[in-house]
Amino acid sequence: MLDTLTFLLEKLFLLAHIKLSSLLPPLGGRARAEQPLARRPERDECPPAQPGGPPPPKFQRGDLLEVPRTLFTHFGIYLGDNRVAHLIPDILPSLTADSRHIQETVTNTRLVLGVLCKRATVRVDSVEDFAYGAGILLNAMDRAVLRSALPGEEVARRAERLVGAVSYSLLWNNCEHFVTYCRYGAAQSLQTDQVCCGWD
């Protein structure tokens, strides 16, 4: 019963965040202008990471990095040396143990199948690959959660211990749960909490 309820809630969450107009082809063959993503002004934002360049000097081991995406915000933990640990839905680790194949660029098909099959990976990528050309918000969640951040070295060690295949749930075990567990000691997703509270 709980599995069925969780499945339905996850699907409702996905549907609530899909812009149907983004699934349609552009009018007249031209790309439509997108509205800029809303940003909270109190957040510290770093410019987009440059391919092949070093990370901005203000990243410290254990920092929480946020990248705004179209429908949600993606989260990771900075490990140092231009590396970020982050949790993504991914079916491939369930199908093969070939680490080179798994580390390749994750496709939308891999992501969707990961969500549907409830499989994910905590993986380590470069800052550039993690950001995917977007600006990075640095430790912005520190102002939104009630707990204090753990020391940076402990945060990074927690993230490193979790690298590998894990179960996935859009509502109970997503990238935000991963980073809040690592940084604050308790898994929580403010994004899913907001959506679930909106249904009350």
Side-chain angles (χ1 to χ4, degrees):
M1 176 68 174
L2 183 57
D3 283 342
T4 303
L5 182 59
T6 300
F7 178 80
L8 291 173
L9 285 173
E10 288 177 343
K11 300 319 166 227
L12 283 172
F13 182 81
L14 280 172
L15 289 173
H17 284 85
I18 291 178
K19 296 179 193 172
L20 293 178
S21 61
S22 70
L23 300 175
L24 300 173
L27 295 173
R30 288 177 288 151
R32 287 174 287 187
E34 292 282 328
Q35 291 293 327
L37 293 174
R39 308 258 174 139
R40 288 179 248 178
E42 74 275 3
R43 293 184 168 194
D44 299 328
E45 185 170 343
C46 301
Q50 298 301 314
K58 61 188 202 176
F59 289 165
Q60 301 291 320
R61 188 164 157 82
D63 278 346
L64 190 156
L65 308 182
E66 299 181 31
V67 179
R69 299 279 195 237
T70 304
L71 304 175
F72 57 90
T73 299
H74 186 55
F75 299 87
I77 298 292
Y78 185 70
L79 302 177
D81 298 326
N82 198 36
R83 299 174 307 129
V84 180
H86 58 119
L87 186 151
I88 59 170
D90 189 3
I91 190 65
L92 199 55
S94 299
L95 304 175
T96 181
D98 182 354
S99 59
R100 287 181 303 142
H101 192 60
I102 291 170
Q103 196 60 31
E104 292 175 358
T105 302
V106 178
T107 63
N108 287 337
T109 301
R110 280 175 66 179
L111 292 172
V112 169
L113 289 173
V115 170
L116 294 175
C117 295
K118 299 183 179 185
R119 300 303 309 151
T121 303
V122 174
R123 59 186 281 150
V124 177
D125 286 310
S126 68
V127 171
E128 298 81 22
D129 287 344
F130 167 76
Y132 203 65
I136 298 173
L137 305 175
L138 177 62
N139 296 323
M141 194 181 289
D142 288 355
R143 293 185 278 280
V145 298
L146 300 176
R147 295 174 177 259
S148 297
L150 298 169
E153 186 59 34
E154 183 177 346
V155 172
R157 273 191 260 122
R158 281 173 172 246
E160 289 167 337
R161 279 194 304 264
L162 294 171
V163 169
V166 296
S167 63
Y168 181 80
S169 169
L170 191 60
L171 298 176
W172 315 116
N173 192 37
N174 62 40
C175 63
E176 194 171 5
H177 290 98
F178 165 70
V179 298
T180 55
Y181 167 76
C182 292
R183 188 155 174 91
Y184 310 108
Q188 179 183 6
S189 174
L190 301 175
Q191 291 180 108
T192 56
D193 289 351
Q194 281 181 328
V195 170
C196 291
C197 288
W199 291 339
D200 291 344

